[in-house]
Amino acid sequence: MFNTVEIEINHACNLSCSYCPNHFYERSEKGLMTNEQFHHIILQLKEINFSGRLSFDFYNEPTMHPKLKDFIKFAHETLPQINTLLYSNGTLLSSDKIDQLFLAGLTKLVVTQHEESSGRDFSYLKNVTWKDQLVLQSHHVLKKTNRSGSVAKLNRGQQIGAPCFIPSKILSISLKGNITSCFEDFHQEITFGNVFEKSIKEIWSSDNFIEFRKSLSLGFRAKYPTCSRCSRIETLNIH
């Protein structure tokens, strides 16, 4: 079973960095995830006793969702054994807002100083109570990929024949509830079902999803155009 779930709770990002597909394309799904939709997903995860890592992103800035704190609280109360991880560019946060998120149940916050926010003042992070659970990093440390060909300047040689275990470990759920092949699939070229139409367990156990995960784990990327274009090499040691 997967050990990580990523839920895209909104589509927008307030930055447009040159190494992100948002710089070149618009998201195919737009809007905000509702309370009812988010609760539906979390309750499905409860049914399968999910106890891994939960995050709130795909290609969005999750702090733009007005209900983020409520989502974290509901997830933490419903699934008390999970780790909730928030990735953010930090531009919409403050020390008070961060404290509120941790009090709601957030486990860890990773703030990345991106290309378009390099000149921003992040000194407010010095006043955060939860310093041991906060990481501030530069985008220069990120292992940037071509996002399955969506960012041409980051093409560094496709990894045909190299096994990939991302689909076996990470479940990516889009804003509208579609389970995608993985977080690299910006255009959602490969989907396996919708969590608002079928259960997560049913989708995960479907023949085509099982075959996809098996093929990728054996290095058969060439079977899938999305995977054959992918430049990510950090898939060999995912555990």
Side-chain angles (χ1 to χ4, degrees):
M1 184 63 74
F2 48 86
N3 57 27
T4 299
V5 176
E6 300 173 333
I7 305 174
E8 181 184 34
I9 60 174
N10 60 291
H11 85 278
C13 181
N14 60 332
L15 301 182
S16 180
C17 301
S18 66
Y19 44 81
C20 177
N22 284 323
H23 186 80
F24 307 97
Y25 309 98
E26 291 189 5
R27 288 285 292 115
S28 59
E29 301 179 10
K30 297 182 180 181
L32 299 173
M33 184 169 285
T34 66
N35 280 337
E36 292 75 18
Q37 290 172 327
F38 184 79
H39 290 183
H40 182 77
I41 296 172
I42 297 301
L43 291 173
Q44 285 195 54
L45 293 175
K46 182 180 181 180
E47 290 180 2
I48 59 175
N49 298 315
F50 177 69
S51 60
R53 191 193 86 194
L54 175 69
S55 60
F56 308 88
D57 54 276
F58 187 35
Y59 287 91
N60 56 318
E61 170 52 46
T63 62
M64 295 181 71
H65 199 300
K67 295 291 186 179
L68 174 61
K69 182 182 71 172
D70 296 334
F71 286 178
I72 292 173
K73 183 178 181 181
F74 181 80
H76 174 69
E77 291 177 346
T78 307
L79 303 166
Q81 296 184 3
I82 65 170
N83 293 312
T84 49
L85 175 58
L86 178 63
Y87 292 101
S88 173
N89 60 41
T91 59
L92 302 176
L93 289 171
S94 65
S95 58
D96 288 341
K97 288 181 179 180
I98 291 174
D99 284 345
Q100 292 174 18
L101 294 177
F102 277 109
L103 288 171
L106 185 65
T107 306
K108 184 176 181 180
L109 169 63
V110 178
V111 174
T112 303
Q113 290 179 288
H114 281 289
E115 179 182 74
E116 288 201 343
S117 62
S118 58
R120 301 288 184 96
D121 182 8
F122 286 88
S123 61
Y124 71 88
L125 294 175
K126 298 178 182 178
N127 301 318
V128 174
T129 305
W130 316 79
K131 291 185 178 64
D132 292 342
Q133 294 159 264
L134 187 152
V135 175
L136 175 62
Q137 63 183 15
S138 166
H139 72 88
H140 294 293
V141 306
L142 301 177
K143 296 176 180 178
K144 302 181 181 74
T145 70
N146 67 356
R147 301 301 190 181
S148 187
S150 297
V151 185
K153 75 173 188 176
L154 293 177
N155 287 336
R156 59 181 181 184
Q158 281 57 56
Q159 307 303 312
I160 300 296
C164 175
F165 301 99
I166 290 176
S168 299
K169 302 295 184 180
I170 301 176
L171 192 73
S172 297
I173 304 176
S174 74
L175 174 64
K176 301 301 183 182
N178 293 304
I179 291 182
T180 67
S181 57
C182 90
F183 54 76
E184 297 284 358
D185 189 2
F186 176 84
H187 295 291
Q188 299 172 220
E189 295 182 46
I190 302 176
T191 59
F192 296 97
N194 189 287
V195 298
F196 304 131
E197 299 171 358
K198 296 181 179 180
S199 71
I200 290 175
K201 183 177 181 180
E202 184 179 3
I203 296 171
W204 180 261
S205 303
S206 63
D207 290 342
N208 59 337
F209 204 176
I210 291 174
E211 175 61 25
F212 176 75
R213 297 195 302 269
K214 180 179 179 181
S215 295
L216 268 290
S217 69
L218 295 174
F220 300 151
R221 299 191 186 200
K223 290 178 62 176
Y224 308 96
T226 299
C227 303
S228 66
R229 296 192 301 265
C230 182
S231 67
R232 176 172 286 273
I233 60 175
E234 296 81 20
T235 60
L236 306 180
N237 299 311
I238 290 181
H239 302 291

